[in-house]
Structure formats: C-alpha cells, structure tokens
C-alpha cells in the first residue's frame, strides 16, 4: 500500500495539524513541559530554558527554542564528531560552520563558495516542492555570502524503481529540481541517482550549489553596530513550513503526510529577482550583514546574526509583510516561507537599499534594529511577545550538545560470515554484461539530466563530452572548477569506516580523472535516528573514515549539513536508510588543456588499467543483482594505494600522455570500458590477464582503479612513470572497431549496448 | 561598429550569455537594456536588439505572455518597424510570438517535459539574417533547453512562411535528415526558428550563444552570428 498517498488524501481537509490547532487556544498561557515535549524538546532541555530565562517560557519562546535546539538547527547530536573532521587548510577563507557556506581561495583574487544540503523529508512528502525548495535554499546560502551561483549538483536516492510510489517520487523530484534550477538560471552540471529498497519511503534529496565571489567582496552573516536597521526582503511571510526544522528532526512516519503545512512552496522567479537585487545591494557597500531564511525563518536568521556579533535585535513582527491576516507571533517567527533574506545595513544606507529592491519590484521593509544588550526582543505592536538571549539559541552558544551511545550493528556479523567461495561462476558472461549495463544504478541517467538545463551561463565545458567530474570554466581566468558528488551508501552500510573513506576517495578519483586537483569538500550526512545505537555507530565510524581520507587527500571539510531521522516506520518496525554521507568535492584545473574526458579517442590507442588489481570480491552491483548477495564486505580499498594511483594519473594527464581517463566504480572494469566506448562509438578488444577470475575481473568493484587509453607512442613513458611511482598497471588491449571483444569473445556492438544503456531507466520509469 | 542591445526582463537568465558572446567572441559594442526603459531611439536599423532566453516573469501564466506588456516592448515594435533587427532566442522567441511580431505560438513539448540536449539544425532558407551564410546541406549542432518549444501555426500561416521563405531552421538528425524522429519537441514541419515577412525580426528556440566557443566543445553556433553580421553588412543597413 502506498502509505503517503492514502494519508495525504485522508487529511486534505485538515489544513493545520491537530497539535498546532490545540496550541492556538493556549497561546497566551505558559504552556509548560507537556507542550515542550510535543514540540520535540526533552525534559532536561525544558529545564535548561527555564534556567536561562529565570522563568517559564511562554509559547512563542518555547517555539523559538524548540526549532533552534532541533537537530536541524543545532547539530546537537553530531557536532562533537563534526568537529573531529579535518577543517583546516591553506586555501580555506572561513572555517566550517562559521558562515553559510564554505569559502575557498581559488586564486586570481577569487573565492569559491560551495555547500550541499538535504531536503529529504519534505521531498518524501511532496516531491516536487520539497526538491524545488531544496535547490532554492542551497542557492540562497551561496548568494547570501555575495557569491554568484554558477553551478548546481545533486545527489538523489530512491527506493525500488519498479514501485509506483518510487516512480511518482522520482518524477516529482526531477521536475522540482529542473523547474527551480532552470528558471533560476544556474546550470545543473552533475549529480548521482541511486536506487535501493532502503529508501522506499524515505528518499534522499541532497542539493549543492557552487558560487564565485571576489575575495574582498564577501558578505558575512553578522549584525554589527547597535542602531543599524534590520530589513526583511523578498517574499511575504506565510504559514507554510512552520515547524519545518522540527519536522526534519523527527522520524518520518506514516502520519508524516499530516505535516504537509511543514513543507514549503518555492518560487524560482522571486529567487532570481532576490539574487540580482541582493548582489546589487552588496555592491553599494552599505550592507553590514545578510542571512537567508531557511529553517526556522526569522527566528534563526535574527538569532544567528546577533549571536555572531554579540549584539541583540528589536524586531516588530507586525511590520513583517505577511500573506495571511492575523498571523500569530510564533507563525511569523517560525514561517519557512521561501525567497526571503534578513539584511542589516549601515544606518543612513536605507535609501540606496530601498531603491535597488524597488527596481526589482521586491518588498524591502525595515522590521527592527540592532541593539547592544544581546537579547532578541520580538514585539507585536507595543506588546513584547518574546524576549530571549540570542547566544543561548545557537550552535556554539547555549544550544545543547550530546554525545550519544553507539553499538556495533548486529548485521555486521552476517557480513563477517561472507565467503567468496559461495559466489558461483556465471554461465553466460555476455548475457551478464547486457544485464549489468541495464541495471538502474548503472544505466544512463539521461532521463533525469535531460530535464535539467546544464548549459545556461555558458560555463559548462562537459555538455558535449563527458568527464568523470563536471567542469565549469571561471570566466575571466584560465581556470576551471571540477565538481562532483559521490557516495555509494551500500559500501558504507557494509563497512561504515571503509565506506566513508571510499566516498571521499571516489570523489577525489573523479576530480583527478577530469584533470583537476582535489581541493576541499562539503558533505551531507544522511543517517537514521541518532538515538538508535546502531545508527550512531554507523555515523561515528563513517565520519572517522571520511576524516582519514580527507586528511590524506588534503581536502578539508568546509561545511555541509546533517540529516538524521531518515528512516521509516512500517507497522511496528523501524528501518533506517543506508548510512549515506554524500561528498560534494571541489577541484581546480589550473590549465584548461589538462581537461580529460572519458571517451576513447583513437583507433589503436592502448587500454591500460591503472591501479591495484586482485581477485577480491566484496559488495558490488554484480553480487547484489545477479547473486542476490547484499551482506558482503566492502570492496577492496587501500587509502595509500589509491592516493599514489591518483597522483600518478594526474601526472600522466599533466604530461599529456593519456587520451582518456575513467574511474572504475559501479559495475566494475566492464562498465568503465563500455562507458568509454559508448561515449565515442569506438569499440575495444581486451584480454583478461591470466590468474584473474573473469566475472570478478569484469564486474567486481575494487577501488583505486582507472581505465585509461593512450597513444602507442606514449606507452614507454607511461610505463616508466607508473613504475617510478610504484603504481600497478595492466595493458589490457586496445581501442578497436565498433564492438566489445573480451578474450576473443564477441560481446556485441557498442551501439547495441548504447541503446540498452540509454533506454533502461526510462523504460522502467515511464511504464 | 555594430551596436547590440540585450534586453533584461525580470527572470531573463541568458542575457549575460548573449552579452558575453557578442562582446568577447564578436567584439561588438554591447549594452544592457532594462525592461522598464521607454525608448530605443538611440538604435539604428543596422543595430541589433536581442531578446534573450530565460523565464521572464517566471513564465507564469504562459511563456512570454506577461513580458509582452513590459515598457520596452513598444520601443521594440517601433525599432522593428524602422527595419531594425530583432533576434529572440528561446524565451525571446516566445515573447516575440506573444507580442505579435512573429506569427504562431510555442506550445508545451510533446514529451510534456523540459528538454536540454544538443540537437541538430538544418538551415531551410538562406534568405534570413541568421542563415544568410549557412550551408543548407550541413547539420549544425546547437543545444536546446526548453519546456515550451513546440512551434505551432495554422495552415495558411504555414503556407505564408514557406512561400515567403521565412523558415530559418528545421530540427534534423546528425546527417541533416529532417524527419519525425529528429523532431525533438513536435513542432509543425520540424520548425525550430522563423523570421517575419520583412526578414528583420527572427526567433528561434535553440541557443546558438551556448555553442559559439570551442572551449565549450561546440562552436557551430558561431556561424549563425557570423551570418547575422554579414547580412547586416550586405544589406547596407548601417547608417551614419
């Protein structure tokens, strides 16, 4: 049964969830501990609020604390481990968590602002708006820093593609991402889509934005200077998205569709105007600080900006432009209406600000001023409706911090029991190859990405030829950015520590194959309920792995977000999603001549497999979908070998020795070879080196390997370089004809594989 | 020197791309024009006004239906009446149709989806500014990025378009064959772009400005702009 659909239709008459309907009558009384619990606060947290205020909070104040201390805003269950990740590097201009997004020095007096964020629960309930506002929110994080977004990426996880519910969700999500990004005018340049039953109810939608700003023209989210005016700009405030942050911090259940008002509605047109007006406003030099309104709306922006500057604010809620009449103070404070910003400007600069927003036909209204007492005082007319110290609300200030207990998940025992001897040899490798190329996690995602404008802004250099990472030029310089998002969550599930390392290593491998140098990452940590000890084990160990790999590749963490509670209650059973720490990586290509694509270039070029080859078989698409084995160890991975291999491939590229490079990932060596062939229509003829089991050689997903093609005249120099850097390699064969030939067996025409590859997913989704 | 003006409506998002190409690739003098401007009198008939792609007014209601009421559209009509060259790309094409400067209408793609893809175009008539120098035997690779690009007009309008050689481009395959498989969005007669009777107002759905630099992996679009510039030279539009 489609639980969301049923509930959705059952409840269409109830515009406000029952819990809030009850609250409205109690609004003026001190609501007490029971209400606090309903809002998601713990008893100890309620006591802490009373201690801070020296009295019991009223309902508005309680609402403020409940959202600001929710997991979504406070990172209370994750911050201890986030702080253990490597967060320093010579290129970083701000430290993780310090601003709305990471900021990296890319030379030429320019900086790159980038960040990834989740919008999982809204997308699971209302896929179109949930995904659209996820895109809108992450772009606002970038341009609120003064950077112009130049590229968008996304990482999506869906359930079984054969289910009608999955088809409905993917269609809604893709349309939502497309319509928002296309209209906003920022190209969606890369992404990943995975299907796995663990996401049947709880899909993951992670959106990333990348922007460019002159190093000395960035804007901070601060509220300096008591007496300076505070403005709200952009859309009017409505009742949508109230308590969205709290919603994001609870388990997704079959009653979640009742929370529909917690999902926001996006308007990319308003956001486009807001972008242009904000950047023009910043150029006047009158802006002190700016913060977009995402989770927890006005509450979050006023408290974070004040806390950062050690100031306070007086805010008149009745001055906030609203969509509905008679909105209650808590509704105005917590509304997550999209396309809004809070701006603190220099006193005296009001006129120039108003003029710009008037030009773009946007609302720009002064709603308050900065004060020196560190308190947030919200008024409705003359009446003071809430009075709280700003510092006590925020992460790093008074927000609670917890270390949760963890325990090794029981399922890991099953994995430890796996023996490769149970993997029987397949009867027909040719038939297996055709099956592999058609698997949803391997087949072309053209059905998805054709719905995204990937070329607007004329920066995308990979819209005709494919590279392992998207390449976007930085106009006015010789540079290009290399961008990728990666995480194979099945690897993280079977081995959180190694899986976490692989997520980073694979991202770096993609950047390396594109011709770039990995520079920094942003991450989106999607996990189950942190109060579940097994989930917390996955979290702690995945982060440990990520941290080790980030250290090795010198790619510090610049920020990102944590999304817990990704699990569904089905009957009385709770199933967490696979641990999914999505890595968004930024790489730099200093010389555009180094850009390398995956397609075979010339007949008779030699094909090399670079990296450590072995007979190891761990979790892979082949084991999962051919043998039905899910509980197998992570694929072979060695951080040192991977690092050496990537450095060697980068040297080969920079010396101009190789014609194409493509990493070995899902589907193994066969799929990599085939993708290089299909991108060019040229075929290949290879022999599997003796001592390797054919099915393992072709389809296992051991890490740290790259398929390269090179001109015969570059063979000697290539081999010398690889040997000198102690990197293993195999000369498999050469680029030939228009067929795939392995061990003298004809696997079929490349064009036939192309048709299978291109149509497999759309056939599934459209039927 | 030929002067180009690129109009920005609220929601335009290819205005900067158009400016970049005309300035950096073709070294033209380029100005930004704000949609609230009241006049284009400073532009001569040998100059070019571009209406760029994007989502003017969010494409709410209907693509181009609100933009046509913007202040700037009256001056655009007057400029066109003076023989000035007006080029609408994608959303610009939709606006020109809504404004009545070009016949016909752009409907939602027959797939009901937004499509971003490199497609091929075949020049149909070379008696138009954008096709003047092009080879009618060649297929030009140009990207599209639209949800509402299915050109539609009634039979008598179609007959006029054919008789007056107003059809600029048809969607074709990489071999230049125009057929139903290559008709990416279901347009009448595979039409990708047309001009008006007097051949000075042109509209097309594909984006040549995204395909005019080898660095982007595709420079076929460059030939359309070269054509446009030589058409202007040939027709001696340029006044003192």
């Amino acid at each position: 049964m489609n639980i969301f659909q049923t509930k959705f239709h059952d409840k269409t008459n109830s515009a406000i969830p029952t819990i809030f309907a009850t609250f409205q009558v109690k609004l003026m009384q001190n609501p007490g501990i029971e209400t606090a619990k309903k809002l998601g606060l713990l008893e100890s947290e309620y006591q802490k609020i009373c201690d801070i205020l020296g009295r019991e909070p009223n309902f508005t104040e309680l609402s403020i604390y409940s959202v600001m201390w929710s997991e979504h805003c406070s990172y209370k269950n994750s911050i201890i481990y986030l702080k253990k990740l490597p967060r320093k590097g010579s290129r970083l201009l701000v430290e993780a968590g310090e601003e709305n997004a990471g900021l990296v020095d890319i030379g030429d007096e320019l900086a790159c602002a980038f960040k990834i964020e989740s919008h999982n629960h809204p997308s699971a309930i209302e896929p179109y708006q949930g995904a659209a506002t996820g895109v809108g929110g992450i772009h606002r994080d970038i341009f609120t820093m003064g950077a112009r977004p130049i590229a968008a990426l996304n990482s999506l996880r869906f359930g079984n593609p054969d289910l009608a519910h999955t088809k409905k969700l993917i269609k809604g999500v893709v349309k939502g991402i497309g319509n928002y990004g296309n209209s906003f005018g920022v190209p969606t340049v890369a992404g990943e889509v995975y299907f796995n039953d663990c996401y049947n109810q709880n899909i993951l939608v992670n959106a990333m934005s990348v922007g460019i700003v002159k190093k000395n023209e960035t804007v901070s989210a601060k509220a300096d200077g008591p007496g300076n005016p505070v403005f709200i700009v952009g859309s009017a405030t409505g009742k949508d998205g109230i308590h969205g942050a709290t919603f994001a911090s609870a388990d997704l259940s079959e009653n979640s569709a009742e929370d529909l008002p917690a999902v926001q509605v996006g308007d990319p047109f308003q956001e486009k105007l807001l972008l242009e007006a904000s950047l023009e406003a910043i150029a006047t030099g009158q802006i002190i600080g700016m913060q977009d309104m995402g989770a927890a709306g006005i509450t979050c922006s006023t408290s974070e900006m004040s806390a950062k500057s050690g100031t306070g604010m007086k805010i008149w809620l009745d001055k906030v432009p609203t969509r509905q009449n008679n909105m209650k103070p808590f509704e105005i404070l917590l509304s997550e209406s999209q396309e809004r910003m809070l701006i603190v400007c220099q006193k005296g600069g009001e006129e120039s600000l108003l003029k710009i927003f008037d030009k773009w036909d946007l609302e720009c209204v002064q709603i308050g001023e900065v004060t020196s007492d560190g308190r947030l005082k919200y008024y409705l007319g003359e009446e003071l409706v809430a009075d709280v110290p700003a510092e006590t609300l925020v992460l790093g200030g008074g927000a609670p911090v917890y270390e949760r207990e963890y325990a090794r998940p029981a399922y890991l025992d099953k994995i430890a029991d796996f023996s490769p001897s149970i993997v029987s040899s397949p009867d027909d490798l040719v038939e297996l190859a055709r099956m592999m190329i058609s698997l949803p996690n391997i087949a072309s995602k053209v059905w998805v990405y054709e719905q995204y404008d990937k070329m607007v802004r004329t920066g995308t250099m990979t819209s005709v030829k494919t590279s392992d990472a998207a390449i976007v030029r930085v106009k006015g310089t010789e540079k290009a950015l290399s961008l990728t998002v990666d995480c194979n969550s099945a690897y993280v599930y079977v081995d959180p520590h190694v899986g976490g390392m692989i997520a980073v290593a694979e991202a770096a491998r993609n950047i390396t194959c594109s011709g770039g140098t990995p520079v920094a990452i942003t991450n989106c940590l999607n996990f189950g309920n942190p109060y579940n000890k097994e989930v917390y084990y996955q979290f702690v160990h995945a982060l440990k792995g990520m941290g080790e790999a980030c250290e090795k590749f010198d790619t510090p963490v610049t920020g990102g977000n944590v999304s817990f509670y990704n699990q569904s209650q089905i009957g009385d059973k709770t199933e967490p999603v696979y641990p999914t720490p999505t890595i968004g990586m930024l790489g730099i290509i200093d010389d555009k001549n180094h850009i390398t694509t995956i397609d075979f270039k010339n007949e008779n070029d030699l094909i090399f497999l670079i990296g450590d080859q072995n007979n190891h078989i761990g979790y892979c698409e082949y084991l999962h979908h051919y043998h039905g084995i899910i509980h197998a160890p992570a694929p072979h991975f060695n951080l040192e070998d991977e690092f050496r291999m990537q450095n060697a491939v980068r040297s080969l590229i920079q010396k101009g020795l190789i014609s194409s490079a493509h990493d070995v990932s899902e589907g193994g060596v066969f799929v990599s070879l085939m993708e290089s062939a299909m991108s060019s229509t040229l075929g290949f003829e290879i022999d599997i080196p003796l001592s390797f089991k054919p099915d393992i050689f072709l389809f296992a997903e051991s890490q740290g390997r790259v398929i390269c093609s090179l001109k015969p005249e570059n063979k000697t120099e290539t081999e010398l370089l690889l040997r000198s850097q102690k990197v293993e390699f195999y000369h498999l064969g050469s680029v030939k004809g228009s067929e795939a030939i392995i061990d003298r067996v004809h696997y079929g025409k490349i064009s036939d594989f192309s048709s299978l590859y291109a149509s497999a997913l759309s056939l599934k989704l459209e039927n | 020197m030929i002067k180009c003006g690129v109009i920005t409506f609220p929601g335009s998002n290819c205005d900067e791309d158009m400016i970049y190409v005309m300035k950096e690739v073709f070294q033209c003098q380029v100005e930004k024009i704000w949609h609230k401007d009241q006049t284009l009198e400073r532009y001569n008939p040998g100059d070019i006004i571009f209406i760029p792609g994007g989502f003017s007014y969010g494409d709410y209601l209907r693509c181009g239906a609100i933009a046509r009421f913007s202040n700037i559209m009256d001056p655009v009509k007057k400029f066109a009446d003076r023989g000035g060259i007006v080029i609408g790309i994608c959303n610009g094409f939709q606006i020109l149709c809504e404004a009545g400067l070009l016949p016909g209408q752009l409907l939602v793609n027959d797939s009901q989806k937004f499509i971003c893809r490199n497609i091929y175009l075949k020049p149909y008539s070379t008696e138009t500014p954008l096709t003047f120098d092009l080879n009618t035997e060649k297929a030009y690779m140009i990207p599209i990025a639209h949800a509402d690009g299915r050109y539609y007009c009634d039979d008598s309008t179609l007959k006029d378009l054919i008789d007056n050689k107003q059809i600029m481009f048809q969607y074709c395959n990489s071999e230049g064959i125009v057929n139903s498989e290559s008709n990416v969005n279901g347009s009448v007669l595979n039409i990708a772009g047309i001009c008006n009777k007097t051949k000075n107002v042109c509209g097309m759905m594909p984006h040549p400005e995204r395909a005019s630099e080898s660095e982007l992996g595709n420079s076929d679009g460059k030939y359309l702009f070269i054509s446009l510039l030589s058409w202007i030279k040939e027709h001696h539009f340029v006044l003192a």
Side-chain angles (χ1 to χ4, degrees), chain A residues 407-418 489-497 532 534-535 537-539 575-579 630-632:
Chain A
R408 185 173 180 275
Y411 72 83
L412 291 178
D413 291 342
K414 278 196 245 174
I415 291 162
D417 289 344
F418 170 83
S489 62
Y491 301 165
V492 190
Y493 172 75
V494 299
D495 190 334
H497 179 225
N532 173 334
E534 296 195 346
V535 166
Y537 177 98
Q538 295 171 334
F539 179 75
E575 291 290 343
V577 300
Y578 278 4
I630 297 173
H631 292 101

Side-chain angles (χ1 to χ4, degrees), chain A residues 121-271:
Chain A
H121 289 182
S123 305
I125 302 297
E126 210 298 87
Y128 178 85
Q129 292 295 349
T133 52
V135 172
I138 195 63
H139 282 314
R140 271 197 307 288
D141 270 338
I142 299 305
F143 71 82
T144 196
M145 295 178 72
R148 178 176 282 281
I150 63 162
L153 296 88
N154 57 68
S155 171
L156 311 177
R157 300 288 184 289
F158 297 97
N160 185 337
D162 292 322
L163 297 175
H165 184 57
T166 300
K167 293 178 196 189
K168 187 187 106 185
L169 289 175
I170 191 171
K171 283 175 187 170
V173 164
V174 170
K175 209 175 182 82
I177 292 173
N179 282 9
Y180 204 102
N182 299 345
S183 175
F184 185 56
V186 174
T188 303
V189 297
E192 51 169 10
V193 183
Y194 282 93
F195 299 91
N196 191 299
D197 291 357
C198 71
Y199 305 110
N200 275 351
Q201 276 80 36
N202 198 135
I203 60 172
L204 302 183
V205 174
N206 296 175
M208 173 168 158
S209 174
V210 181
I212 295 287
V213 56
K214 285 197 183 138
K215 246 165 81 175
N216 53 5
E217 289 179 11
T218 56
V219 175
S220 177
K222 62 184 186 196
D224 290 351
N228 281 329
V230 179
F231 285 85
I232 189 167
V233 303
S235 294
T237 298
K239 289 189 181 180
D240 51 333
I242 292 170
H243 282 289
T246 314
F247 167 58
S249 308
D251 292 342
L252 196 61
S253 73
E254 55 179 306
N255 295 325
S256 293
E258 294 177 14
D259 292 335
L260 202 55
V263 179
Q264 313 87 343
V265 176
D267 180 351
F269 173 58
Q270 283 291 315
E271 176 122 324

Side-chain angles (χ1 to χ4, degrees), chain A residues 418-462:
Chain A
F418 170 83
S419 158
S421 60
I422 63 168
V423 182
S424 55
S425 291
D427 305 330
D428 185 345
L429 282 172
V430 176
E431 205 36 55
L432 175 57
R434 292 171 62 84
M435 183 204 106
M436 292 296 295
I437 211 80
S438 314
L439 288 174
N441 286 345
I442 289 173
S444 166
K445 306 301 180 294
V446 62
W447 182 91
V448 173
Y449 66 72
E450 263 201 1
Q451 298 185 55
Y452 305 147
D453 188 337
K454 51 193 168 295
M455 307 178 197
V456 63
R457 299 197 53 78
T458 60
T460 315
M461 300 177 75
T462 39

Side-chain angles (χ1 to χ4, degrees), chain A residues 175 182-183 185 267-269 272-273 358-361 447 450-458 460-461 463 473 475 592 766, chain B residues 10-14 17 20 34 36 55 57-58 60 112-118 141 143 145 209-210 213 215-218:
Chain A
K175 209 175 182 82
N182 299 345
S183 175
D267 180 351
F269 173 58
K272 170 70 174 164
L273 303 185
D358 181 57
K359 174 189 163 190
W360 289 95
D361 301 317
W447 182 91
E450 263 201 1
Q451 298 185 55
Y452 305 147
D453 188 337
K454 51 193 168 295
M455 307 178 197
V456 63
R457 299 197 53 78
T458 60
T460 315
M461 300 177 75
S463 59
R473 64 178 173 170
K475 286 180 182 169
K592 283 182 269 195
E766 298 285 5
Chain B
S12 295
N13 63 31
C14 302
D17 300 350
Y20 186 85
W34 184 235
K36 289 180 186 171
F55 290 68
Y57 294 93
Y60 298 145
Q112 306 291 310
K113 286 197 193 79
F114 186 96
I115 306 171
C116 177
R117 190 192 296 171
N118 283 304
M141 183 165 81
E209 81 280 12
R210 297 183 181 186
E213 296 165 82
E215 199 168 89
L216 299 178
N218 181 9

Side-chain angles (χ1 to χ4, degrees), chain A residues 548-565:
Chain A
E548 287 167 20
C550 284
E551 203 73 69
K552 187 81 216 172
F553 288 101
D554 193 18
T555 51
V557 178
T558 62
N561 102 311
V562 180
S563 171
F564 281 134
Y565 306 97

